[in-house]
Amino acid sequence: MALNSDVLERIVAAYSAGVKRIGDRSGALGMSLWDTARPEKLLDLSIKTLVPLWGEGYELGLAFYRVLKLLDMGYTVRHDESRRRPMRMVTAGDVIGEFEKLSGVELGDLGVDRSRRVKEYGIVSSSSIGWKSSDFWYLKQSMDKQQEHVAAKGAMDYDRVAFGAAAQKVAADGARTTVAHLGESDGNCLGFARYSTTGTPCAFCALLLTRGMVYKSSKSAVLSARGNSFHPNCKCVSVPVFHERSWKAGNVFALNRKFEREYRANDTVSAATGIGKLRAWRSYYWKTYRK
């Protein structure tokens, strides 16, 4: 079975709204901490304050993956709370309701009987501490960079905004990293497709959108799914793909397909390599879309 494109669009929109809400809260808290915390206490206070928001992102990412797989495959992966149990049965309504609660969006009729019993397979690793450490390492790098900038040139509003953007990325990556790890360990997941939640991505994200659906067997798929390719204040997410039909049909990935066609049609961009490819694409993109 393959997910109805209208249903997929609603689920991805709900997930995007949830990621944005968590990321915005985290960004605002990051800027507040920059304003009020003593420099030597900033990292400890930031971690203590932002870890719960990373956890909210983790729960949202897990719920998103569970509902997407349920509606696309007819069964789903386990929630952490059931990791010590053998395979169990839950209702479709349990999985959908969990996602609705965490995303803050009522999905309405999804064309599935919510009372239907469905199977949960696999074990979601509880060792998410490793994922969390990797995401928060980025926050430390950003803090060090901004504090060095302050020491060299004095306090500027730019440093406050940059640290807030790093805090936003950390919380949003709680969801994005979770989805990536689940997909990478799931034999049913073919790969990932990047999705712009705004429809007006920056040139860097637009270039990544041109790659279309990236199969997870390639190195670039890992970068596409994990936070490495999500910059501070990035409004993109990765969507796991279980059937190629989900990628090819409907409006969810229409922007990806559009940019992919334009990329292939532009000889200058296609022929460029390395950083030159981004420069060539950025020149084309800004002339075309940011006049």
Side-chain angles (χ1 to χ4, degrees), residues 2-78:
L3 196 57
N4 176 281
S5 60
D6 173 68
V7 171
L8 176 61
E9 189 170 0
R10 279 189 279 155
I11 292 172
V12 172
Y15 173 59
S16 301
V19 172
K20 180 181 185 303
R21 186 180 66 253
I22 294 169
D24 287 350
R25 286 167 54 206
S26 185
L29 283 171
M31 287 190 289
S32 177
L33 287 166
W34 181 270
D35 291 337
T36 59
R38 297 200 306 270
E40 67 273 14
K41 296 289 186 180
L42 180 59
L43 182 61
D44 288 343
L45 285 172
S46 296
I47 292 175
K48 182 178 180 180
T49 303
L50 300 180
V51 159
L53 285 170
W54 187 96
E56 288 184 33
Y58 167 84
E59 292 292 340
L60 175 61
L62 175 56
F64 170 62
Y65 196 92
R66 278 165 52 80
V67 75
L68 200 60
K69 182 159 186 175
L70 166 67
L71 297 174
D72 220 352
M73 302 295 297
Y75 56 92
T76 192
V77 296
R78 295 180 190 173

Side-chain angles (χ1 to χ4, degrees), residues 4 11 31 34-36 56 63-64 79 86 129 142 147 158 174 189 193 207-208 224 226 238 254 259 268 278:
N4 176 281
I11 292 172
M31 287 190 289
W34 181 270
D35 291 337
T36 59
E56 288 184 33
F64 170 62
H79 190 283
I129 185 65
S142 176
Q147 288 184 339
Y158 164 81
C189 179
L207 179 60
L208 294 180
S224 173
R226 292 182 180 171
S238 280
F259 285 157
T268 302
L278 176 58

Side-chain angles (χ1 to χ4, degrees), residues 184-239:
E184 287 166 17
S185 61
D186 186 346
N188 296 127
C189 179
L190 300 178
F192 303 90
R194 193 181 186 92
Y195 175 78
S196 168
T197 66
T198 64
T200 55
C202 67
F204 170 74
C205 289
L207 179 60
L208 294 180
L209 287 167
T210 68
R211 296 184 301 172
M213 188 189 84
V214 182
Y215 289 89
K216 67 180 184 181
S217 58
S218 67
K219 180 180 179 181
S220 57
V222 177
L223 294 177
S224 173
R226 292 182 180 171
N228 296 335
S229 63
F230 297 111
H231 58 78
N233 275 335
C234 185
K235 302 302 188 296
C236 293
V237 295
S238 280
V239 179

Side-chain angles (χ1 to χ4, degrees), residues 13-161:
Y15 173 59
S16 301
V19 172
K20 180 181 185 303
R21 186 180 66 253
I22 294 169
D24 287 350
R25 286 167 54 206
S26 185
L29 283 171
M31 287 190 289
S32 177
L33 287 166
W34 181 270
D35 291 337
T36 59
R38 297 200 306 270
E40 67 273 14
K41 296 289 186 180
L42 180 59
L43 182 61
D44 288 343
L45 285 172
S46 296
I47 292 175
K48 182 178 180 180
T49 303
L50 300 180
V51 159
L53 285 170
W54 187 96
E56 288 184 33
Y58 167 84
E59 292 292 340
L60 175 61
L62 175 56
F64 170 62
Y65 196 92
R66 278 165 52 80
V67 75
L68 200 60
K69 182 159 186 175
L70 166 67
L71 297 174
D72 220 352
M73 302 295 297
Y75 56 92
T76 192
V77 296
R78 295 180 190 173
H79 190 283
D80 260 4
E81 293 176 356
S82 64
R83 65 181 180 271
R84 296 184 182 278
R85 304 177 187 176
M87 185 271 295
R88 69 171 188 172
M89 301 290 289
V90 294
T91 68
D94 291 335
V95 179
I96 296 168
E98 173 189 53
F99 176 68
E100 289 178 325
K101 179 180 178 181
L102 291 168
S103 67
V105 178
E106 294 290 333
L107 295 172
D109 182 15
L110 298 176
V112 61
D113 179 2
R114 294 198 181 206
S115 66
R116 180 169 66 89
R117 306 282 286 178
V118 297
K119 293 180 180 179
E120 288 184 325
Y121 289 98
I123 296 176
V124 178
S125 172
S126 61
S127 61
S128 59
I129 185 65
W131 316 347
K132 187 188 305 180
S133 298
S134 176
D135 289 340
F136 272 91
W137 178 250
Y138 179 85
L139 184 71
K140 181 183 185 304
Q141 289 180 310
S142 176
M143 184 198 72
D144 291 344
K145 179 180 178 180
Q146 302 316 136
Q147 288 184 339
E148 287 174 5
H149 187 266
V150 170
K153 298 188 176 181
M156 300 174 64
D157 189 58
Y158 164 81
D159 299 295
R160 173 181 181 271
V161 172

